[in-house]
Amino acid sequence: MDRRGFVAVAAGVALLGGTIAVLRQESAPPPPDGPFARFLAEGVGHSTDEGSPATPTDLALTALDLTSLRVGWRGTATGGYEVRWADRVRLVRATETELTGLPPNADVRVEVRALDPLGRRSAPATAEAVPRLAHDPGWADPLVHPVDRFDGPEALAPRRWRVLDDGVADCLGLTGAADKRLRITCDRVDLQSNVPVRLSPPHPDGAVARVVLTTDGPSGLGAVRDAGEIVVALLPEPFHDSGPLTDPLPPGAVALRVGERAAGFTTGEGVPATTRRVPVTGQVRPPVSGVRHRWELRVLPDALVALVDGEVVAAAPVAVPWTAARARLAFRGSRFTQVDSFGVGGVPAPAEASSLVLLGPGTPDGDDAVSLGHVPAERLAGGTSVRVVAAVGAAAGARLTVRFGDRSAPARVVGTDMFGTLVHADFPLPAPGGAQVRVLGDGVGVLRSHLVVSDGPDAVRPLPRLLERETPGPRAPEPVTAVTQRSGRAEVVVELTAPRGGEIAAVDGVEVDLDGERVAAVPTGGAVGGRHVFTLDLGGLSTGGHRVAVRAVPVDRRLETRLAEEDFQIRPL
């Protein structure tokens, strides 16, 4: 590297990705493992947002159960927030967090301070609450009891739930120490309640049925960032026996779609419109990982209403055309979302125990026949009946027959989905020795299929596999950089970014290397975010390729130092 400095070029600095440019150093940099000291090479300037951080406002404590407090506030801090309670300290970027594992009857004092990019703290906003007194159990009064709490494999037993995951291993897990919660660990999975939702006379709030879900999602941390979605659907007979939920919705179905920044309704064919208008009184806030909120789909005689924490955030002027349906929870791109509790309201009805047997696509089995495989006897034992469900393709006008063991039944067409024409066929049980399942018809093909087994009281089914997963510990935020060049000077912007929610590791400082040599180090005083601007005099660096490395160094050196490396080119004149 030419130590005389950068060469200013008329074409400017060309970037690959987005990076920073810095100047030469004129004195030795501080040692990498020593106390973090400020160091700037000659000609390098540094600035951050000026002014003392403002004290957070509107600090409020609420409780969704007897051992937790949800802490929310308003603020515009660029360096994050420090939350203190008991003898604990947590650093976060979002304007809410949830404290768990609290003594129910203890008076908990919470302090929240804003941080600037250099770690300077504001005066605290304070509030106190007793979890037991802050918790209002009345939310469950209109629901059919027992309310589902997802705290272990038994909570998803087939007598109450169907899990539709296409056989993906390790799609569900448990997280938390004392208060365990279900965690979605794949990008697509459906959960369907076996408790029917039956319309009732109007409740005092006008609802004839409802679905309530407590969750911190959609997380948006799945395959496509900021595209996470949770769908709360109500599926009438026979569509509740179909496979994973797809668009368009089946006839008569309604669905609340909860996204990263909005919520709304979609409906299937045959759902009539009304003239009812329900005012929206709240708004959807971006979800924060680990912070639960209570969502409700409320069915009125002439409208659908979506609420979060009691505030109306969406409504649709339609009337459901059925008297009974099943609630389906579909998670899309919502990996790491936590699901805590679930309940339905309406006419009380017991769970109608049923379980799924995945069959998969069909294989040719002679002329105009497809085999769906053999179902072992133990998988049907204790069942009272079975429904074969298949998405098929066949010649136009073909008459299809389903064979289950030595019995046959005509395939009943019930609709279509993205995989083909949906057909059902029902058979009584038992079926000694198990059963071979086949579909017969002119030119028939089966893209996906499964059995729905109606389980009797003596049926024994395997519980879903829920792996115990530790909640990830704090990590330093990731440095993201960009550079602009004007009039022989470069302005370099470094943003410390971190996912919404969760605990973040305090950052001791930001280091910048150019071609493997330290040229800048700025202490950040234990901040967890913020914007740092470096202004640089361009002068005398050789043309060609160079590499810049930016590190966010945590206060706790045992944790990972977050690194961003970028290559850039300086073009010749």
Side-chain angles (χ1 to χ4, degrees):
M1 181 177 68
D2 187 340
R3 309 302 298 171
R4 293 172 299 174
F6 287 117
V7 175
V9 292
V13 179
L15 301 178
L16 298 178
T19 182
I20 69 172
V22 293
L23 287 184
R24 67 198 186 285
Q25 59 191 43
E26 295 290 354
S27 58
D33 297 324
F36 211 102
R38 183 179 177 86
F39 164 74
L40 296 174
E42 183 181 336
V44 178
H46 171 262
S47 64
T48 62
D49 297 327
E50 297 182 357
S52 299
T55 301
T57 61
D58 300 331
L59 179 61
L61 308 180
T62 54
L64 293 183
D65 57 45
L66 297 177
T67 60
S68 69
L69 286 174
R70 188 176 61 207
V71 186
W73 62 90
R74 294 184 184 276
T76 57
T78 59
Y81 299 92
E82 178 186 81
V83 182
R84 291 181 174 267
W85 74 104
D87 58 350
R88 296 282 307 279
V89 180
R90 178 181 295 170
L91 298 174
V92 298
R93 289 297 306 273
T95 55
E96 61 178 354
T97 191
E98 186 169 349
L99 317 179
T100 59
L102 303 174
N105 297 309
D107 189 0
V108 180
R109 176 183 171 87
V110 180
E111 298 180 353
V112 179
R113 293 172 172 83
L115 281 67
D116 73 1
L118 296 180
R120 294 172 293 196
R121 268 69 170 166
S122 72
T126 62
E128 296 184 19
V130 176
R132 180 178 60 82
L133 299 179
H135 174 58
D136 179 10
W139 69 274
D141 290 346
L143 303 180
V144 176
H145 288 265
V147 173
D148 291 283
R149 301 189 185 279
F150 300 109
D151 54 4
E154 184 64 29
L156 283 171
R159 65 179 177 273
R160 293 191 68 84
W161 287 91
R162 302 179 195 172
V163 178
L164 297 88
D165 58 4
D166 286 338
V168 176
D170 302 340
C171 204
L172 302 172
L174 286 176
T175 185
D179 300 323
K180 296 188 181 299
R181 297 174 188 168
L182 178 68
R183 172 175 283 178
I184 306 301
T185 57
C186 56
D187 283 324
R188 295 179 63 88
V189 65
D190 288 16
L191 305 177
Q192 180 163 298
S193 173
N194 282 335
V195 178
V197 179
R198 302 187 186 279
L199 302 188
S200 67
H203 186 268
D205 60 17
V208 295
R210 71 189 77 224
V211 177
V212 177
L213 175 68
T214 305
T215 178
D216 69 349
S219 71
L221 300 179
V224 182
R225 183 161 179 81
D226 295 330
E229 182 182 55
I230 298 176
V231 183
V232 182
L234 289 171
L235 306 179
E237 166 76 27
F239 301 106
H240 67 282
D241 283 337
S242 300
L245 196 66
T246 62
D247 290 323
L249 292 178
V254 299
L256 165 63
R257 298 180 180 270
V258 178
E260 290 280 317
R261 298 181 182 275
F265 287 98
T266 56
T267 62
E269 292 183 2
V271 179
T274 69
T275 59
R276 176 69 179 273
R277 294 293 183 269
V278 177
V280 173
T281 59
Q283 61 182 2
V284 177
R285 299 177 61 184
V288 175
S289 179
V291 180
R292 295 170 297 162
H293 292 273
R294 186 163 288 130
W295 285 89
E296 181 177 356
L297 189 170
R298 190 174 290 175
V299 181
L300 308 182
D302 52 359
L304 301 173
V305 181
L307 303 93
V308 59
D309 299 327
E311 292 287 330
V312 177
V313 293
V318 297
V320 296
W322 38 259
T323 59
R326 298 288 181 88
R328 172 79 65 90
L329 308 178
F331 299 88
R332 303 291 183 261
S334 296
R335 186 180 298 181
F336 307 127
T337 289
Q338 294 180 12
V339 188
D340 183 46
S341 61
F342 170 90
V344 302
V347 173
E352 298 177 358
S354 63
S355 55
L356 292 182
V357 179
L358 294 178
L359 299 176
T363 57
D365 186 19
D367 295 336
D368 296 327
V370 169
S371 172
L372 304 184
H374 182 271
V375 184
E378 60 268 21
R379 196 58 191 83
L380 303 171
T384 59
S385 64
V386 63
R387 171 171 286 177
V388 179
V389 182
V392 306
R399 300 180 63 178
L400 302 179
T401 300
V402 177
R403 290 190 62 84
F404 185 77
D406 58 0
R407 289 169 286 182
S408 298
R412 178 166 58 101
V413 175
V414 296
T416 60
D417 69 6
M418 63 184 296
F419 296 97
T421 300
L422 289 175
V423 299
H424 291 180
D426 297 320
F427 299 90
L429 290 176
Q436 185 76 23
V437 185
R438 303 171 73 221
V439 179
L440 292 75
D442 185 15
V444 66
V446 177
L447 297 180
R448 64 187 306 161
S449 59
H450 62 268
L451 302 183
V452 179
V453 183
S454 295
D455 291 331
D458 298 327
V460 178
R461 305 291 181 232
L463 297 177
R465 182 180 179 183
L466 301 185
L467 297 181
E468 296 271 353
R469 301 177 184 272
E470 293 184 5
T471 301
R475 299 182 70 196
E478 179 181 0
V480 176
T481 64
V483 64
T484 58
Q485 186 262 331
R486 300 183 185 87
S487 302
R489 297 179 67 84
E491 181 179 87
V492 179
V493 178
V494 178
E495 296 271 2
L496 298 181
T497 64
R500 293 186 298 270
E503 187 172 358
I504 306 173
V507 177
D508 205 10
V510 175
E511 297 176 333
V512 179
D513 289 0
L514 176 61
D515 294 333
E517 296 186 52
R518 190 87 51 82
V519 295
V522 176
T524 55
V528 294
R531 182 173 181 267
H532 297 266
V533 180
F534 297 86
T535 55
L536 313 170
D537 239 342
L538 296 182
L541 189 68
S542 61
T543 61
H546 299 274
R547 172 164 291 185
V548 167
V550 179
R551 290 183 294 274
V553 181
V555 172
D556 185 348
R557 294 297 201 274
R558 295 171 298 178
L559 301 179
E560 176 189 6
T561 293
R562 305 300 299 277
L563 172 68
E565 291 185 307
E566 299 289 349
D567 294 329
F568 66 94
Q569 296 283 332
I570 295 182
R571 300 190 183 100
L573 292 172

